[in-house]
Amino acid sequence: MADTPDKSVARSGGGGEVAPGGQVRPYESLIPKRSAVADALAPAAGFGVTIKNFFSRTVTEQYPFETAPVKPRFHGRHQLNRYPDGLEKCIGCELCAWACPADAIYVEAADNTPEQQFSPGERYGRVYQINYLRCIFCGLCIEACPTRALTMTNDFELAGPTREGLIYEKQDLLAPLADGMLAAPHPMVEGTTDTEYYRGEVTAPTPAQVDWVAEHRPEDETLDAARSRAGARPAGQETR
């Protein structure tokens, strides 16, 4: 048998509360009454909030004239990095593409040759694309990269007028050549393998690399800076 509800908390169909004596009291009688002064000042209290915020410090950011600072580990646009001698770190393994949950990365690898050596080892990334219409900036591609070739910068300004422009190609993602780097392709540092590159033992281009580029691409714009850093012979005295 069901318990009998307490009449002191029972509700009537008329929208009131049943008192212990059986009399129904309307809900309106339970609302505390405000004084006439409180009613008169109620609009002023609302305006008080408005006036308080009116004199508060402005937090508006004048973007794009003033860019907002981001944290050092902010996940922004990707970058394909280079070794100190100018060779690319990407070896075309495609692990970043396999790790991407949004299927935003496309990689095609090609073999390095003595005349076309773009990275240490056997292969390099001939085609590298990131579709920023799909990318969710999760960073899983960074964790999957075995050579630290792919990292993320603080650049967040990726908007553009066309959808095609948001598909970044390798030339858009490749890090610019730092001062003293030698533009690829060129041979690896003599007497080394890809292991020495991965360990960070290569710190600058060598005179032999500079001579090779001077022979095959004498008009290369990176020759002068690389020659100075490598301590190579002046232009016109390279080994033929």
Side-chain angles (χ1 to χ4, degrees):
M1 181 176 180
D3 296 336
T4 303
D6 189 354
K7 291 184 179 180
S8 63
V9 296
R11 297 293 190 269
S12 69
E17 182 177 354
V18 179
Q23 183 179 3
V24 178
R25 294 184 298 182
Y27 289 139
E28 290 78 5
S29 63
L30 303 177
I31 301 175
K33 297 294 185 180
R34 294 190 303 185
S35 65
V37 176
D39 288 337
L41 295 177
F47 281 114
V49 176
T50 303
I51 295 173
K52 176 184 177 181
N53 285 275
F54 184 79
F55 291 102
S56 298
R57 184 178 66 87
T58 303
V59 295
T60 303
E61 296 177 354
Q62 302 299 327
Y63 181 83
F65 306 104
E66 299 177 9
T67 57
V70 296
K71 298 298 182 181
R73 299 183 67 180
F74 173 80
H75 285 187
R77 180 183 61 80
H78 298 73
Q79 177 175 281
L80 290 172
N81 299 307
R82 303 174 186 266
Y83 288 105
D85 66 344
L87 289 180
E88 302 169 6
K89 289 188 175 183
C90 179
I91 57 176
C93 67
E94 303 181 23
L95 288 178
C96 54
W98 283 101
C100 181
D103 195 23
I105 301 177
Y106 177 75
V107 182
E108 281 186 13
D111 293 334
N112 285 312
T113 64
E115 294 76 22
Q116 297 288 318
Q117 183 88 32
F118 286 92
S119 70
E122 299 178 358
R123 302 202 305 170
Y124 72 99
R126 184 179 66 86
V127 177
Y128 201 102
Q129 296 177 344
I130 295 183
N131 187 347
Y132 283 108
L133 297 170
R134 292 183 174 182
C135 179
I136 59 175
F137 298 92
C138 63
L140 291 178
C141 53
I142 309 303
E143 298 180 11
C145 183
T147 63
R148 293 293 293 168
L150 189 65
T151 54
M152 301 182 83
T153 67
N154 294 153
D155 184 12
F156 59 87
E157 298 176 313
L158 300 174
T162 64
R163 295 177 63 86
E164 293 80 4
L166 291 176
I167 301 177
Y168 277 48
E169 303 286 347
K170 180 179 177 179
Q171 62 269 18
D172 304 319
L173 300 168
L174 201 58
L177 288 161
D179 188 36
M181 286 185 178
L182 195 59
H186 58 73
M188 299 167 55
V189 172
E190 55 276 12
T192 65
T193 64
D194 51 359
T195 302
E196 283 75 22
Y197 278 85
Y198 301 157
R199 290 176 178 173
E201 297 177 9
V202 175
T203 59
T206 62
Q209 290 175 308
V210 173
D211 292 346
W212 189 93
V213 173
E215 178 181 353
H216 293 80
R217 302 193 308 274
E219 303 301 325
D220 195 300
E221 297 179 354
T222 62
L223 270 173
D224 292 337
R227 181 179 288 110
S228 175
R229 185 176 181 187
R233 289 179 292 273
Q237 300 182 16
E238 295 84 1
T239 302
R240 296 290 179 178

